[in-house]
């Protein structure tokens, strides 16, 4: 604070010292680096918390529907807990069974791997590359390495699901709070309307994104599994499940889901089958995931394609594989806490969104206190 003298005698006016904008940006950036570094250090702890939060937000309309139809509180809570646990158990069991089948299948392709390595070495040696260097480079390419790649792709989710006790505890308490949380938000609407609006924007955008991604993921998974089954590629259900999971990864999920079945098609039927798998995936997945879905998801969450891709890179670096799966919801949470919560920074939404028109400002709801 600093004091100044009014034009009228005997009057002193206090004015607040304002830091330069550049200093504010530097301080904010330094704080952001510290927060992100801390999050990366405890990624194994906060990863399940974020997953539990996203699942709770997704299925929370169940409680509202039950409460509107006269169901008691304990029924609404039990319905939420059963819903989220059913999702986790089904997904975890499918992952465990599919990876076990893949481990049993891979040793059958040992000879094909050896022939593929020999063909690769002989083909590249004709280009003047040393044969010894090529042999060392492909020495680790065997069926077990494919299994390791698949496990690493699904490692973030599988690792989180393995923390069953902590994840279930988070889900239990969040489901208990979710029943009364809308009423608590409404009670704080008069004092902090911006905070309530930010939380509601986050929950609505997250719910729309997860529901849209789930529907499109199921469509893509069924079509991919049927196409692979028709082509005779082994384990079509596993690759359909992989397509469903990678559908939550923006921009590059399609490529991640393509690599394993294409490689298995190469081992099963040669280059012709591999190219057929790639062509079918490009037609099916590119049209659905890269053309139709982004139009709907972009309108649902208000994020441009560039922001979605950068959020994928950032959250995958911070939280690993689980961060890649939850990149869009986590970005919506960060946007709600840093941008939507402050009317002075809400203009940033225009830069983050794929639309050119800013969203209308919510009307002020803070009541005017009487002075009488």
């Amino acid at each position: 604070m600093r004091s100044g003298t009014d034009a009228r005698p005997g009057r002193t006016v206090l004015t607040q010292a304002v830091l330069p904008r550049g200093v504010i940006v530097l301080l904010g950036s330094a704080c952001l680096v510290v927060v992100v570094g801390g999050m990366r250090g405890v990624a194994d702890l906060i990863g399940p918390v974020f997953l539990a939060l996203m699942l709770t937000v997704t299925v929370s309309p169940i409680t509202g529907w039950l409460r509107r139809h006269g169901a008691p509180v304990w029924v609404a809570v039990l319905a939420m807990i059963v819903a989220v646990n059913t999702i986790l158990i089904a997904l975890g069991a499918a992952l465990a069974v599919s990876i076990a089948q893949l481990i049993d299948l891979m040793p059958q392709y040992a000879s094909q791997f050896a022939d593929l390595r020999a063909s690769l070495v002989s083909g590249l040696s004709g280009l003047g590359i040393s044969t010894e260097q090529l042999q060392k480079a492909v020495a680790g390419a065997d069926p077990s390495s494919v299994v390791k790649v698949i496990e690493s792709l699904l490692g973030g989710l599988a690792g989180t699901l393995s923390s069953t006790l902590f994840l279930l505890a988070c889900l239990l308490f969040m489901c208990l709070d979710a029943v009364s949380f809308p009423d608590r938000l409404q009670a704080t609407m008069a004092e902090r309307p911006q905070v309530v609006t930010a939380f509601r924007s986050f929950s609505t955008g997250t719910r729309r994104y997860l529901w849209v991604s789930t529907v499109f993921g199921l469509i893509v998974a069924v079509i991919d599994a049927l196409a692979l089954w028709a082509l005779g590629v082994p384990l079509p259900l596993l690759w359909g499940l992989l397509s469903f999971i990678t559908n939550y990864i923006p921009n590059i999920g399609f490529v991640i889901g393509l690599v394993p079945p294409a490689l298995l098609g190469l081992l099963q039927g040669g280059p012709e089958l591999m190219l057929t798998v790639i062509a079918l995936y490009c037609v099916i997945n590119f049209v659905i995931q890269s053309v139709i879905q982004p139009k709907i998801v972009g309108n649902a969450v208000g994020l441009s394609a560039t922001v979605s891709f950068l959020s994928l890179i950032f959250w995958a670096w911070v939280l690993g594989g689980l961060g890649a799966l939850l990149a869009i919801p986590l970005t919506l949470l960060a946007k709600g806490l840093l941008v939507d919560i402050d009317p002075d920074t809400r203009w940033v939404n225009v830069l983050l969104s794929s639309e050119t028109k800013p969203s209308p400002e919510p009307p002020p709801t803070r009541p005017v206190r009487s002075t009488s």
Side-chain angles (χ1 to χ4, degrees), residues 117-140:
R117 287 200 306 264
S119 300
L120 183 62
V121 170
S122 61
L124 293 179
S125 61
L127 300 177
I129 304 177
S130 173
T131 305
E132 295 181 358
Q133 294 178 351
L134 291 174
Q135 290 177 348
K136 291 180 180 179
V138 300

Side-chain angles (χ1 to χ4, degrees), residues 105-122:
L105 179 67
M106 281 294 100
Q108 302 177 13
Y109 294 97
S111 60
Q112 288 90 333
F113 261 98
D115 296 338
L116 182 61
R117 287 200 306 264
S119 300
L120 183 62
V121 170
S122 61

Side-chain angles (χ1 to χ4, degrees), residues 189 191-199 336 340-343 346:
M189 186 70 180
E191 294 295 330
R192 291 292 183 268
Q194 293 85 5
V195 176
V196 176
T197 302
F199 275 113
D340 297 338
I341 203 170
D342 188 356
R346 210 168 283 162

Side-chain angles (χ1 to χ4, degrees), residues 209-233:
Y209 168 76
L210 292 178
W211 279 115
V212 169
S213 298
T214 300
V215 171
F216 278 97
L218 288 174
I219 295 173
V220 169
V222 171
I223 296 177
D224 287 345
L226 291 176
L228 294 175
W229 173 77
L231 292 174
V233 177

Side-chain angles (χ1 to χ4, degrees), residues 316-332:
W317 175 72
V318 175
L319 299 179
L322 186 61
L325 291 172
L326 300 177
I328 298 299
L330 290 175
T331 302
L332 293 176

Side-chain angles (χ1 to χ4, degrees), residues 15-279:
T15 58
Q16 186 175 5
V18 180
L19 292 175
R21 186 173 297 273
V23 175
I24 297 177
V25 171
L26 289 176
L27 291 175
S29 301
C31 294
L32 181 63
V33 170
V34 174
V35 171
V36 171
M39 293 175 60
R40 195 180 182 195
V42 294
D44 295 336
L45 179 63
I46 63 176
V49 175
F50 282 139
L51 177 60
L53 176 61
M54 303 310 165
L55 289 174
T56 304
V57 169
T58 304
V59 301
S60 59
I62 296 176
T63 61
W65 184 85
L66 290 174
R67 293 292 291 161
R68 286 194 299 271
H69 287 76
V73 175
W74 68 269
V75 173
V77 174
L78 182 61
M80 278 195 66
I81 295 175
V82 170
V84 294
N85 282 291
T86 301
I87 295 173
L88 290 177
I89 292 173
L91 185 58
L95 282 175
V97 172
S98 300
I99 293 179
Q101 292 178 349
L102 180 63
I103 293 175
D104 294 337
L105 179 67
M106 281 294 100
Q108 302 177 13
Y109 294 97
S111 60
Q112 288 90 333
F113 261 98
D115 296 338
L116 182 61
R117 287 200 306 264
S119 300
L120 183 62
V121 170
S122 61
L124 293 179
S125 61
L127 300 177
I129 304 177
S130 173
T131 305
E132 295 181 358
Q133 294 178 351
L134 291 174
Q135 290 177 348
K136 291 180 180 179
V138 300
D142 52 31
S144 62
S145 63
V146 177
V147 177
K148 292 179 181 178
V149 171
I150 301 297
E151 290 178 344
S152 64
L153 290 176
L154 304 176
L157 183 59
T160 302
L161 295 178
S162 64
S163 307
T164 308
L165 185 60
F166 179 62
L167 181 59
L168 292 179
C170 292
L171 284 172
L172 174 62
F173 291 112
M174 287 185 182
C175 289
L176 290 174
D177 287 336
V179 177
S180 60
F181 193 72
D183 295 333
R184 284 182 281 170
L185 273 183
Q186 187 63 33
T188 59
M189 186 70 180
E191 294 295 330
R192 291 292 183 268
Q194 293 85 5
V195 176
V196 176
T197 302
F199 275 113
R200 288 180 175 173
S201 175
F202 155 69
S203 60
T204 303
T206 298
R207 199 177 297 121
R208 287 178 180 175
Y209 168 76
L210 292 178
W211 279 115
V212 169
S213 298
T214 300
V215 171
F216 278 97
L218 288 174
I219 295 173
V220 169
V222 171
I223 296 177
D224 287 345
L226 291 176
L228 294 175
W229 173 77
L231 292 174
V233 177
L235 302 178
L237 294 180
L238 170 60
W239 310 129
L241 178 62
L242 182 62
S243 297
F244 173 73
I245 295 175
T246 55
N247 187 66
Y248 293 98
I249 303 177
N251 303 109
I252 65 173
F254 152 67
V255 179
I256 297 175
L258 166 64
V259 173
L263 180 58
L264 198 58
L266 175 63
L267 299 176
Q268 178 74 17
E272 295 82 5
L273 183 57
M274 181 188 70
L275 293 176
T276 304
V277 171
I278 294 175

